[in-house]
Amino acid sequence: MQPITMTAAQIADAVAQGQISAREVAQAHFDQIASVDTELNAFLTLDTEGALAAADAIDSARADGEKLPALAGVPLALKDIIVTKDVETTAASKILKGWVPPYDATIVRKMRAAGIVVLGKTNLDEFAMGSSTENSAFGATRNPWDRTRTPGGSSGGSSAAVAGYEAPLAIGTDTGGSIRQPAAVTGIVGHKPTYGAVSRYGLIAFSSSLDQAGPFGRTVLDAALLHEAIAGHDPADSTSLTAPAPDVVAAAREGADADLTGLTVGVVTELGGAGYEAGVSAAVAATIAQLSNAGAKVVEISCPSFDYALGAYYLIAPSEASSNLAKFDAVRFGLRVGDNGVASLEEVMSQTRDAGFGAEVKRRIILGTYALSSGYYDAYYGQAQKVRTLISRDFSKAFEQCDVLVSPTSPTVAFPLGERVDDPMAMYAADLCTLPASLAGTPAISVPCGLSEGLPVGLQVMAPAFADDRCYRVAAAVETLTTAALGKPLLAHSTF
Amino acid sequence: MTVAHAPSYESAMSSYEPVIGLETHVELGTRTKMFCGCPTEFGAEPNTQICPVCLGLPGALPVANAAAIEATIRIGLALNCEIASWSRFARKNYFYPDMPKNFQTSQYDEPLCVNGYLDVVLDGETVRVEIERVHLEEDTGKSLHVGGSTGRIHGATHSLVDYNRAGIPLVEIVTKPVAGAGANAPQVAKAYVTELRDVIRALGVSDVRMEQGSMRCDVNTSLNRPGAQWGTRTETKNVNSLRSVERAVHSEIIRQAGLLDAGERIIQETRHFHEDTGQTTSGRSKEEATDYRYFPEPDLVPLAPDAAWVESLKATIPEPPSVRIRRLQEAWGLTDHEMSSIVNAGAVELITATVESGATVEAARKWWLGELARRANAQDVELEQLSITPAHVAELQALVDAGRINDKLARQALEGVLAGEGSPEQVVAARGLEVVSDSGALGAAVDAAIADNPDIAAKIRDGKLAAAGALVGAVMKSTKGQADAKTVRELILSKLS
Amino acid sequence: MSTISRDEVAHIARLARLAVTEEELDVFAGQLDVILTSVQRVGEVAADEIPPTSHVVPLTNVLRPDEPGECLAPGDVLRSAPAAEQNRFRVPRILDEEA
Ligand SMILES: [Mg+2]
Ligand SMILES: [Zn+2]
């Protein structure tokens, strides 16, 4: 079997058994990157030297008879918003170009401990602000299924890398859907964990109360294995959960038998219908019917506050971003523009931030600054935080009647590059389905569930806080059912 | 702009009533910073006590220091505050280069402690200063302004920033407006800050050294005609000593009165106090003030001190300094007047420590309120800033009591100690100040004086003992003062009887 | 009626230290107006008695013991600084607006 088509679970097994070396695996992925990434532009930085050294260390540990960690030798693509010691980290922004951090994010340390080999840093919408990866200062990423379309965003570099067989695993971050939506439109699995389940230490903050890092994989089990490696309490993150993480790997294995007897699935009324692409609605409806055939009880549940999620999100996220991005000021790191010995610091800061930030980032900084400014706080930020309460209440009520909620992950399949860049509201609409779980801090997964005119459609499975395992169990069942329905795994339908 | 004529303080007070308010920042003496594990030592090399958190690097996150939270609650308890059962940090957003994240993590509408008071005693009368809130925040870094005059920001070509101080826990104590102090307002302000300093020092949570900036005061002042509404207030920053607190209120009252007398209005603004001139100058006016865009800090979870925690902290609150002063006054047997002169001189701790080191209350008072107060005054510093410790003072007095030095020599020894020559014992030894007690040498000096003054010696032999004074003087002169006059007199009388 | 004026955008941009161009101002004012109009719906549902949610995690009193941790190596502190002098971060002259 070609290393690049192997799953993470298979690679870890083969490396542990000595059937393949970690170096061979890493090299095969670098070869794939060399052959396809000029077109995809999934990677911003490759750490060839570091990755091969890490692979060699695993190989020699194995040769010495040491017990290898769970994902030893499995390559991974890391969203370039996660800080890596001695490896350039840019958040796809000109303002950070060339920044070489002096420290590692907690999840980077955890992944190294799990034996994961980080190949490099992937493209994203600048500071994770966007739904298409077109807002990168370093060029858009293309969707492996159709190079004229976006891979979703903001974690589009990561989703494209996994869908394009450049890495079996990737890390994304999800603030309003930035893992789930790209997973959906590239035909892979992506999970946003319960807020606080994965440490944010070293994740360059966009919207602190919403940001969560999470896994991408081509299979539900792979995503679960990566989830297990990065989750867990971190004393360096005050919002890190202390409760033990649920066993998502066991849940993924259990779900694969596609027996959902005793499970109640709620279909969210508000996330569907008008405005949703017919092919997307059809694929989702067909999958729900299959879940019912697999033994699940299906009920329709209304969550009326979800209609206000978009408004709340586009007040909260920009507000927090306006504060989080204040540190990019030309003083301690990053770009400095206009320092001619005469200009004041204020002028240099303003010129640097104007030159260093792209249009979407500036738009959100201005929006957030406005929403927090005196006289507007109560009407905007304060109201949005109340909507958050209402959305959480809707979730709580819904989970009294069902075990999981489902919806399309995105109202459309991957949209063409350039289609929405000048229309912020159209771009924001890509996140309609993913925003409620972001605002409530609850876990949600996107799993491929079918095709619409040859392009992948994702099903979103939402669970109560702390019950990430339910997402994986149902997603694994969907994976089994979809593969059976399509005759082969969904990604095998890719023209890639 | 018209320059208003400055009236005298007395005339200002005959027309207006002042309202003052104080915001005091205290750097806590925790081992590590507020939100990271960097050490807080004062005076380290620039930018050596820095980590990703306090440098505000992308991705770094804060975690609150338990000791700082406890210290703040203890300050609140010592100031008779209610301790909030729910409190949160907020972000105060404004751009400034010594603030690494361009927001200060502070507390806004949900502070840890509210509604307290501090009683201060002024000339034997108790004045209650009400405390609005006590909250916790983080300190900023420090900028060095280069190219302008004397390190001022104005006229500098560039600045250099050191972030060692950035992130040190800072407690802000805000009073409610203090009205009704009348002409005593400057003294009330000083007495409050002094008492506050003593309370915090007694808690052991900060070294509260104004000259090192670990305690800093902003003073709000406004004037109004008797019976009228309160006037527009100004906020004077950079008030860095107890004396300056008093001077700042005093000079701001005179400045505002001059403007009001001239029919001008007071602008709500920040002003800077200058130690050298004792005057305030205009800073940033409120009109152009930043909109801080406060919002709850999403990177920190709420604080919810439960009753048991607060109770356990309450048990650690020492006796209030003002109560202690009444107790000390009784123990030392002093009058109100005597005790208040100790308090006013800021010498309570110094005298207590001196007495603990073995001196009598009388001796301790004599030194600290006498010779040492004179020297502090001449140097324009606080008593405690003199480079002499209470133990030194007690040692000095012990030398006098043992007859090893006399008062005159003691003053020379004191000079040596203040000059950094060591302890009184060391100075006496090094400078050779000890009285001549060697009976051989002293006997020879006495014999010489008798031989040199036969007339006087004869008078003494005839029983005119008062004449001995002249011979004592001669001996003291020949021994350059290093003899004990009483011993010399006894020796003369015994030789001539 | 527009919810945000061009002047307001200019003021906000200054507050946020963004030296936006005149053209950018025009574009942003128009776009922000559209966005604000659509997000204003949040005011329709959130009544007074609804408490705001600022933290979704059910945690309080997350504290750190007062024990020293690791500082950055001296070489790492100024490594990425745009300008440094005397082991300090060098910045252009500061307008005298804040003590
Ligand atoms: Mg403050
Ligand atoms: Zn630090």
Side-chain angles (χ1 to χ4, degrees), chain A residues 154-355:
Chain A
S154 64
S155 312
S158 290
S159 66
V162 172
Y165 296 94
E166 294 175 305
L169 295 177
I171 290 289
T173 62
D174 190 313
T175 303
S178 283
I179 291 174
R180 291 160 286 162
Q181 182 260 7
V185 302
T186 56
I188 61 170
V189 180
H191 179 68
K192 181 198 88 76
T194 299
Y195 181 86
V198 175
S199 169
R200 291 186 296 118
Y201 192 81
L203 191 178
I204 299 177
F206 159 19
S207 179
S208 312
S209 74
L210 299 163
D211 296 342
Q212 262 301 280
F216 283 110
R218 287 191 291 266
T219 68
V220 175
L221 179 61
D222 278 6
L225 288 166
L226 179 53
H227 182 121
E228 187 175 57
I230 59 173
H233 180 67
D234 179 12
D237 174 359
S238 304
T239 60
S240 171
L241 296 173
T242 44
D247 192 341
V248 294
V249 173
R253 294 192 203 279
E254 186 198 335
D257 66 12
D259 178 3
L260 298 176
T261 311
L263 188 89
T264 304
V265 173
V267 180
V268 184
T269 314
E270 285 74 14
L271 303 180
Y276 286 70
E277 253 173 32
V280 169
S281 299
V284 167
T287 306
I288 291 167
Q290 286 175 317
L291 293 175
S292 173
N293 292 339
K297 180 181 162 199
V298 176
V299 294
E300 183 167 326
I301 292 176
S302 172
C303 297
S305 309
F306 285 15
D307 284 345
Y308 300 90
L310 187 80
Y313 177 82
Y314 279 97
L315 288 169
I316 292 167
S319 294
E320 293 182 5
S322 71
S323 173
N324 283 329
L325 269 57
K327 63 175 58 166
F328 300 95
D329 64 353
V331 173
R332 291 160 305 279
F333 50 81
L335 186 70
R336 178 180 286 188
V337 171
D339 185 5
N340 56 10
V342 182
S344 71
L345 175 63
E346 190 188 20
E347 289 162 338
V348 170
M349 269 189 197
S350 303
Q351 285 180 42
T352 300
R353 288 164 62 80
D354 186 50

Side-chain angles (χ1 to χ4, degrees), chain B residues 25 92 104 106 135 137 172:
Chain B
H25 286 92
K92 180 182 184 180
Q104 182 189 35
S106 179
H135 77 243
E137 58 190 29
E172 182 171 334

Side-chain angles (χ1 to χ4, degrees), chain B residues 33 36 38 50-51 54:
Chain B
K33 293 186 178 179
C36 65
C38 287
I50 299 290
C51 74
C54 58

Side-chain angles (χ1 to χ4, degrees), chain A residues 124-149:
Chain A
L124 63 149
D125 287 298
E126 184 178 3
F127 288 105
M129 296 180 189
S131 308
S132 68
T133 315
E134 291 166 289
N135 293 333
S136 168
F138 310 118
T141 297
R142 291 164 185 274
N143 192 321
W145 290 73
D146 177 348
R147 316 295 152 85
T148 68
R149 291 174 188 264

